[in-house]
Amino acid sequence: MATSSEVGATIATVGGEGPREACGLFGVWAPGEDVARLTFFGLFSLQHRGQESAGMAVSDGERILVYRELGLVSQVFEERTLATLQGDLCIGHTRYSTTGSTTWDNAQPSFKNNGGRGLALGHNGNLVNTAELAAEAGRRGPATTDSDLVATLLARHLDQGLEEAALRVLPTLSGAFSFVMMDERTVFGARDPHGIRPLAIGRLPSGWCLASETCALDVIGASYVREVEPGELVALDDRGIRSLRFAPSPRAALCLFEFVYLSRADSRLYGRSVHDTRREMGRRLAREAPADADLVIPIPDTGFSAAQGFAEESGIPYGEGLIKNRYIGRTFIEPTPALRQRGVKLKLNPLPDAIAGKRLVVVDDSIVRGTTTRQIVQLLRDAGATEVNLRIVSPPIRWPCFYGIDMSTRQELIAAGGPIDEVRRFVGADSLAYLSLDALVSSTWAPKDAFCRACFDGEYPVDVGHTEPSKFVLERL
Ligand code: SF4
């Protein structure tokens, strides 16, 4: 049975110059534990990956119960809701939409049943053969996500069990996908053959769990086992953990932006701390693009580690110059036009005492559209900064992302065509420099070919055809 209550709120996204997040996944099989509560804490630590909706599906071995809602994890799951979600296994999802609008129907986990069997599914990523899959699936429900489409296709084969259904359907998908799935007894995790989106396996005293990032394993006391491999399907149940392969992996291509921006600094990817990697990026940036300045400040939060590295390498003091309102999140009920005009001020407040009269190095992770960066530069000047030298710990973004990060057309990318100095003029900085792609990759200690770098160099690991991605592909069919 799928249960829900529906709200009609409009969701707006505030500021945020970095690429918008993908989604957060969590799954746990642990009889005797409060699996819904473990999932709640797991999702809570993955909140940064998606703030439009949250949901979970829980099973007691007999039936699957789904609860999902628009809003933050802490808004969706009250104590009394968690108390009703009892069982031995659970999956959870936090959403940032990259296919389909922000509606209740598109919140996840998706739920389907067929012949008395049920399945629930949460997806991180974006498929690139959605139109073909939709044609194959035929009539669909009210949901307009590629994720719901996959659930529909899986449900067709449910008479053979979810494991068999997954082994049949997953090889037909093209693009980026990490999934957590469950039937009444088993939790499954899967990653696309390039492993574009992350998914890690954790061990609990009484079971197993899966999470988009290792920080969600830490918070529930699970020990990290390994990453789900590209092209692998893992099953977690009373038989332990089983590994099945649904497709060969031509090469791994983890999204390089996971290191730059998407993952939390306390997570690990490819065995490497994200914080340490970002610090190294900052050090290398200080060597590649030094600045004569009085103070290095980060754009919170993702700029923190890199700004520390820049300060260490350059010898320029590090300090905070902008304070983030952590509780506004990325999404909130749409404000009045007057409030919206305040834009970035809703989220960042400068510290004039720290900034006034100073030549600043301002470290940020990336520039996508440039509009927020421009507001931040103005904010710093208004607070008395005498110079704003922008240092970006990734190369210019010149190509759209087809794999689940919301920067989908070249037109919206400020660095897509023109010279860097045009970007500098647009954002109003005194100087602007980007980290080179080679230095960015070297900071991770993984080889260049272990990554998708397509938004920087235009080399797409999965063929994307010639059309730019549309978030509303299923609403236009
Ligand atoms: S195109 Fe860029 S943002 Fe998209 S998956 Fe590749 S590296 Fe990540």
Side-chain angles (χ1 to χ4, degrees):
M1 183 179 76
T3 70
S4 68
S5 59
E6 193 161 356
V7 293
T10 306
I11 300 292
T13 303
V14 187
E17 185 51 73
R20 307 273 163 74
E21 294 84 344
C23 291
L25 304 179
F26 189 83
V28 56
W29 180 90
E33 297 271 0
D34 187 345
V35 289
R37 201 165 297 268
L38 292 177
T39 303
F40 173 82
F41 287 122
L43 292 182
F44 203 68
S45 46
L46 298 170
Q47 184 73 85
H48 59 289
R49 295 182 74 86
Q51 290 137 18
E52 294 182 4
S53 66
M56 62 175 86
V58 64
S59 171
D60 57 5
E62 298 296 326
R63 64 171 197 151
I64 298 173
L65 192 66
V66 180
Y67 189 88
R68 59 191 191 191
E69 192 60 277
L70 297 179
L72 301 171
V73 175
S74 57
Q75 294 168 324
V76 170
F77 294 103
E78 296 172 354
E79 188 58 44
R80 64 195 162 127
T81 311
L82 284 176
T84 64
L85 297 169
Q86 296 296 316
D88 297 333
L89 56 155
C90 188
I91 64 169
H93 187 268
T94 61
R95 180 171 190 245
Y96 179 81
S97 57
T98 52
T99 302
S101 302
T102 303
T103 62
W104 181 84
D105 287 315
N106 285 343
Q108 296 184 33
S110 296
F111 175 80
K112 305 285 171 194
N113 58 15
N114 184 2
R117 294 182 173 200
L119 79 89
L121 171 144
H123 176 202
N124 173 199
N126 209 56
L127 303 181
V128 297
N129 62 338
T130 304
E132 294 92 311
L133 294 169
E136 191 191 327
R139 191 174 163 271
R140 298 183 309 276
T144 54
T145 61
D146 50 358
S147 323
D148 195 73
L149 200 53
V150 174
T152 300
L153 292 167
L154 287 167
R156 287 195 176 163
H157 303 287
L158 257 189
D159 54 328
Q160 296 157 55
L162 182 54
E163 185 173 311
E164 187 56 34
L167 292 172
R168 276 170 165 253
V169 171
L170 297 184
T172 69
L173 310 180
S174 184
F177 56 87
S178 284
F179 290 123
V180 287
M181 300 176 276
M182 65 186 282
D183 58 17
E184 288 80 1
R185 305 248 165 106
T186 305
V187 169
F188 296 90
R191 277 176 92 192
D192 70 73
H194 290 86
I196 294 173
R197 299 276 148 241
L199 190 62
I201 304 170
R203 184 82 166 107
L204 286 161
S206 57
W208 302 89
C209 54
L210 298 164
S212 291
E213 293 183 35
T214 60
C215 66
L217 304 180
D218 298 338
V219 81
I220 62 158
S223 54
Y224 170 77
V225 176
R226 64 175 174 88
E227 295 177 5
V228 176
E229 287 174 15
E232 186 187 23
L233 173 73
V234 294
L236 316 176
D237 57 19
D238 55 9
R239 286 180 277 172
I241 180 167
R242 285 171 293 124
S243 168
L244 304 120
R245 185 151 284 282
F246 67 85
S249 174
R251 76 168 174 91
L254 176 69
C255 169
L256 189 49
F257 250 113
E258 290 286 345
F259 270 114
V260 173
Y261 172 86
L262 301 175
S263 290
R264 241 169 66 161
D266 53 339
S267 289
R268 299 181 78 82
L269 292 163
Y270 282 158
R272 171 110 171 130
S273 145
V274 172
H275 168 72
D276 288 350
T277 304
R278 288 184 184 154
R279 237 164 112 169
E280 182 62 22
M281 291 175 199
R283 284 193 202 104
R284 288 175 191 253
L285 184 56
R287 292 203 286 275
E288 286 190 345
D292 196 11
D294 307 309
L295 186 69
V296 179
I297 67 164
I299 305 286
D301 288 326
T302 43
F304 278 127
S305 311
Q308 283 170 21
F310 194 105
E312 284 160 13
E313 185 71 22
S314 65
I316 302 169
Y318 169 92
E320 291 199 32
L322 291 163
I323 300 299
K324 184 175 176 179
N325 179 354
R326 283 166 211 291
Y327 302 101
I328 200 163
R330 286 269 172 132
T331 56
F332 64 106
I333 306 303
E334 196 162 329
T336 63
L339 263 179
R340 256 201 318 275
Q341 274 180 4
R342 291 174 185 254
V344 76
K345 275 196 164 179
L346 288 171
K347 227 171 63 172
L348 294 172
N349 203 21
L351 292 170
D353 291 345
I355 292 171
K358 303 247 171 64
R359 297 169 302 160
L360 301 179
V361 170
V362 180
V363 179
D364 201 1
D365 49 75
S366 55
I367 301 179
V368 181
R369 296 160 187 85
T371 45
T372 305
T373 306
R374 183 159 73 167
Q375 290 182 60
I376 292 170
V377 171
Q378 192 55 51
L379 210 60
L380 294 167
R381 291 203 192 282
D382 292 345
T386 55
E387 264 184 40
V388 178
N389 299 286
L390 266 181
R391 294 294 179 268
I392 308 298
V393 285
S394 60
I397 300 168
R398 300 198 191 277
W399 302 90
C401 178
F402 294 74
Y403 307 138
I405 301 303
D406 189 14
M407 40 191 202
S408 59
T409 65
R410 288 203 83 191
Q411 289 75 14
E412 69 186 321
L413 303 174
I414 189 168
I420 299 304
D421 200 52
E422 259 179 35
V423 182
R424 183 197 64 74
R425 273 206 299 276
F426 178 80
V427 300
D430 294 283
S431 73
L432 168 65
Y434 292 85
L435 186 65
S436 69
L437 185 55
D438 282 348
L440 169 55
V441 171
S442 302
S443 305
T444 68
W445 301 107
K448 197 170 178 181
D449 269 351
F451 291 106
C452 173
R453 322 165 300 265
C455 50
F456 304 124
D457 65 9
E459 289 180 26
Y460 291 92
V462 181
D463 186 22
V464 291
H466 298 295
T467 51
E468 292 191 325
S470 169
K471 178 174 172 178
F472 306 110
V473 57
L474 292 174
E475 283 155 42
R476 290 181 184 143
L477 283 175

